[in-house]
Amino acid sequence: SASVQDGAQATGMTVAGIENVFSGNTTSTTVLSNGGLNLFSGAVASLTTVASSGVVIASNGGSATGTADGGLRILSAGASATSTLVSGSTANEQVYAGATESGAVVMSGGLLQAGVFGSAGGTVTSATVKSGGLLFVSSGGVTAGAVVSNGGREDIFASGTAVSTVISSGGQELVSSGA
C-alpha cells in the first residue's frame, strides 16, 4: 500500500493494492481490478481511471473530479465528486447522505445511485443519462436537473426525489409508489 499526505502530490500511479490519500493530491491514478483508492479529508483525486472490480471510497472531506469509473465508487457523507463518467456493466457509483455528485455522465450499463436500499441517499445534480445508463434515486436521495436521453433511464423509488428532470425522445423515467 501507499500513502499520500500533508499536501503531497502523486501523479501517474497504478494501484493494484491500496492507496490512501490524506490531505494530498493524486492525479492520473489508475486503480486496477481488486485495487483500492481511499480519499480522506482534504484529499483530492483528479483524472482517476477505475477498472472493473477496482474500488474508490471518498470519505468526509474527500473529493474527486474527472473520474472514469468502470468499477465501484462510494461517496460517503461529506464527500464530493464532479464530472464522473460511469460507464460499463461493472460501473457503479453510490452517493450516500451528505455526499454530492455533479455533472456525471452515465452510459453503457453504468449505474449511478443516489441512495441504496437500506441507506439514505445523497444529492446528484446535472447528471446526463445516455444509452444503457441508469440513474437510481431512493431512500431520501435527490437528483436535480438530470437529462435522460435516448436509451437512458431514471428510476425513482420510495422516498426518492427528482427535480427538473428532462426526458428526451427515447429516454425513460420510472416512478414507483412512495416516490
Side-chain angles (χ1 to χ4, degrees), residues 21-36:
V21 185
F22 306 87
S23 298
N25 299 300
T26 180
T27 303
S28 300
T29 296
T30 299
V31 182
L32 301 179
S33 292
N34 301 315

Side-chain angles (χ1 to χ4, degrees), residues 89-106:
S89 61
T90 59
N92 179 206
E93 180 172 21
Q94 300 175 354
V95 184
Y96 289 88
T100 60
E101 165 65 73
S102 178
V105 175
V106 191

